[in-house]
Amino acid sequence: MRVVHYINQFYAGKGGEDKADWKPEATPGPVGPGLELQKGLGTEAEVVGTVICGDSYYGENMEEAQAQVVDLIAAFKPDVLVAGPAFNAGRYGVACGSVCQGVTQRLGIPAVSGMYPENPGLELYRKYVYVVETPDSARGMRDSLAKMARLALKLGQKTPLGSAAEEGYLSRGIRKSFFRPVNGAERAVEMALARLRDQAWKTEYEMPVFNRIPPAKPVSDMKKATIALITSGGVVPLGNPDHIRVSSAESFGAYDISRIDDMTPDAFESIHGGYDRLWASKDPDQIVPLDVMRQMEKEGVFGKLHDVFYTTTGTGTAVSHAERFGQEIGEELRKVGVSAAILTST
């Protein structure tokens, strides 16, 4: 069986963030973590080639990069693609997922990757790829590659797969009908009794779990209120001085707006990936409505506009990072007595 491995510039030994713009290239045989992947495949399959691409290059040129990478993969005539593992690296996970989507759709071969459950690549591309659950960092590299190799062998050999839980991959959101020895009513009673007895049980129809956030109390006196501006639309000072990522953000920026009344294109731009930011960069007020807020402040609609606005990019950003941004920004606003915030998106 012929296997091709997709990895980013870091795991290929090309460099770190300074080389994240590395353009797609291919090399015969395994590279970096591909050596461990080959061990897991044993004598039943061979890593015939490795395709490499920088995370930033891929994220900033999604369609073009996908086409380039899939062409390089196709040249090796593979039976299976293995991508990553990406762990909790958002840009890497999105790239792995996108490559797998391109391969399954264009080449018609199965694809396997490995990601931490909160990696945005999983939610975006799970229906195109079998994703093995990994830890959030490369400390789980060896075990993750072993699991990925086992699944790749089964897919390449066209062995019928069981459920996600049985085969060790994360759910793809696909439901299949099957027979049980007892009917639904009896199963419901069995599960209810197991729960009452603190015994292990598992439903065949798992429901999503959402955090319940109680709404804040309304502002009691808008005339005295201090209002802050926050955006996930990626508006930053020209040149993006804090290097906030265009997608899968891991940081946010805080910038002084105390002496300006307007977001002008000579001072601000949008660096957000995933949408056409031409008009947002021509008039950043469309994303961060500073001009309107200043006018309302002068008219006395509210007391004062907070001197600092906060910004990040929302596309592909892991829930864990988004929660952290919210907690850190919220704590800063609470300390300085901000009454409310307006959060804008794209």
Side-chain angles (χ1 to χ4, degrees):
M1 190 184 350
R2 298 172 65 85
V3 176
V4 171
H5 192 200
Y6 172 81
I7 55 176
N8 68 3
Q9 86 289 343
F10 177 77
Y11 288 109
K14 304 296 183 181
E17 195 63 31
D18 59 320
K19 297 295 183 181
D21 59 350
W22 196 273
K23 293 183 178 180
E25 67 174 45
T27 184
V31 173
L35 298 169
E36 190 65 32
L37 174 63
Q38 182 62 71
K39 289 181 183 178
L41 295 170
T43 58
E44 298 180 75
E46 179 185 0
V47 178
V48 295
T50 304
V51 176
I52 303 157
C53 184
D55 288 335
S56 290
Y57 179 85
Y58 201 102
E60 294 171 10
N61 306 275
M62 290 282 285
E63 292 185 9
E64 179 184 352
Q66 185 192 65
Q68 291 174 316
V69 169
V70 173
D71 284 343
L72 293 171
I73 292 169
F76 289 107
K77 296 181 171 52
D79 300 300
V80 180
L81 170 72
V82 174
F87 305 107
N88 199 29
R91 289 180 303 166
Y92 193 16
V94 170
C96 286
S98 175
V99 170
C100 291
Q101 176 194 35
V103 163
T104 56
Q105 291 181 336
R106 280 186 49 191
L107 307 185
I109 64 171
V112 177
S113 188
M115 301 183 198
Y116 185 63
E118 289 188 7
N119 193 308
L122 173 65
E123 195 60 35
L124 290 169
Y125 297 103
R126 68 195 314 157
K127 65 181 180 180
Y128 303 104
V129 56
Y130 291 89
V131 180
V132 170
E133 182 175 353
T134 73
D136 61 355
S137 71
R139 67 178 181 273
M141 178 69 79
R142 180 174 296 179
D143 183 56
S144 298
L145 284 169
K147 293 177 182 177
M148 292 163 67
R150 286 195 295 271
L151 189 55
L153 287 171
K154 281 193 172 185
L155 291 169
Q157 294 162 352
K158 297 181 172 53
T159 303
L161 296 182
S163 67
E166 292 169 340
E167 300 293 349
Y169 62 88
L170 294 163
S171 171
R172 302 175 69 204
I174 298 171
R175 300 193 185 278
K176 294 183 179 180
S177 298
F178 57 94
F179 289 99
R180 280 280 192 176
V182 296
N183 63 31
E186 292 175 292
R187 283 284 298 124
V189 171
E190 287 177 358
M191 287 189 290
L193 290 173
R195 291 189 66 177
L196 291 170
R197 295 165 181 163
D198 290 328
Q199 297 172 343
W201 62 278
K202 186 172 180 61
T203 176
E204 291 88 359
Y205 196 78
E206 294 182 2
M207 301 300 291
V209 178
F210 300 101
N211 289 334
R212 292 186 177 274
I213 309 298
K217 294 180 180 179
V219 176
S220 57
D221 187 353
M222 286 295 293
K223 298 291 184 181
K224 298 179 181 178
T226 299
I227 309 297
L229 288 174
I230 308 171
T231 185
S232 60
V235 172
V236 297
L238 207 62
N240 191 13
D242 291 312
H243 306 291
I244 296 173
R245 292 178 174 177
V246 300
S247 64
S248 306
E250 296 182 356
S251 63
F252 64 86
Y255 304 105
D256 189 349
I257 52 172
S258 60
R259 298 183 181 182
I260 58 175
D261 297 335
D262 191 11
M263 290 270 178
T264 58
D266 61 330
F268 295 92
E269 63 177 332
S270 172
I271 49 89
H272 195 292
Y275 79 99
D276 185 349
R277 52 184 183 259
L278 173 64
W279 297 105
S281 290
K282 282 190 174 183
D283 183 9
D285 287 303
Q286 293 187 91
I287 306 297
V288 182
L290 177 61
D291 53 351
V292 174
M293 293 297 288
R294 284 293 186 213
Q295 184 62 38
M296 294 174 71
E297 182 184 32
K298 291 173 183 177
E299 292 172 358
V301 175
F302 60 90
K304 182 182 183 302
L305 187 64
H306 185 48
D307 290 341
V308 175
F309 92 97
Y310 297 85
T311 182
T312 188
T313 55
T315 183
T317 298
V319 173
S320 58
H321 289 313
E323 288 181 342
R324 176 173 58 82
F325 299 164
Q327 291 166 357
E328 293 178 6
I329 293 171
E331 182 62 19
E332 289 185 21
L333 297 182
R334 188 190 64 79
K335 285 180 179 178
V336 296
V338 169
S339 312
I342 293 174
L343 172 61
T344 59
S345 186
T346 55

